[in-house]
């Protein structure tokens, strides 16, 4: 499980930021799985639910290394940055 102190500090920092937020997750990646659990249960992250986007790819690659994953990552970044 994620460190609750870390999750709450991260959530507080993100809530304080005016920047648009998009989280990109590889569904089967352990870090993404831990984030999903924190996303569902953290009071700090709950404040972001109406504001942040969470986009998920069916992959286990934390780095989106496969060609299909890399294309998806590029599309997501281009969309988020208006490119």
């Amino acid at each position: 499980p994620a460190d609750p102190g870390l999750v709450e500090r991260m959530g507080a920092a993100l809530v304080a930021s005016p920047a648009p937020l998009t989280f990109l997750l590889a569904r089967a990646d352990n870090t993404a799985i831990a984030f999903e659990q924190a996303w569902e249960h953290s009071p700090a992250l709950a404040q972001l639910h109406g504001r942040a986007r969470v986009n998920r790819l069916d992959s286990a690659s934390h780095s989106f290394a496969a060609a299909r994953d890399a294309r998806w990552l590029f599309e997501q970044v281009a969309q988020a940055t208006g490119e």
Side-chain angles (χ1 to χ4, degrees):
D3 171 1
L6 172 64
V7 171
E8 295 309 308
R9 289 190 310 273
M10 180 181 77
L14 292 170
V15 166
S17 171
L21 300 170
T22 301
F23 298 101
L24 304 176
L25 305 177
R27 286 186 192 274
D29 170 65
N30 287 333
T31 301
I33 292 167
F35 176 85
E36 291 274 19
Q37 292 172 349
W39 183 253
E40 293 300 320
H41 301 290
S42 163
L45 293 179
Q47 296 176 64
L48 299 170
H49 285 189
R51 179 177 146 215
R53 294 174 40 199
V54 180
N55 297 343
R56 299 164 182 90
L57 176 67
D58 287 325
S59 173
S61 178
H62 180 79
S63 61
F64 303 101
R68 178 185 74 95
D69 298 358
R71 282 191 301 276
W72 179 84
L73 178 61
F74 179 82
E75 291 167 3
Q76 298 301 308
V77 172
Q79 182 179 3
T81 59
E83 296 294 319

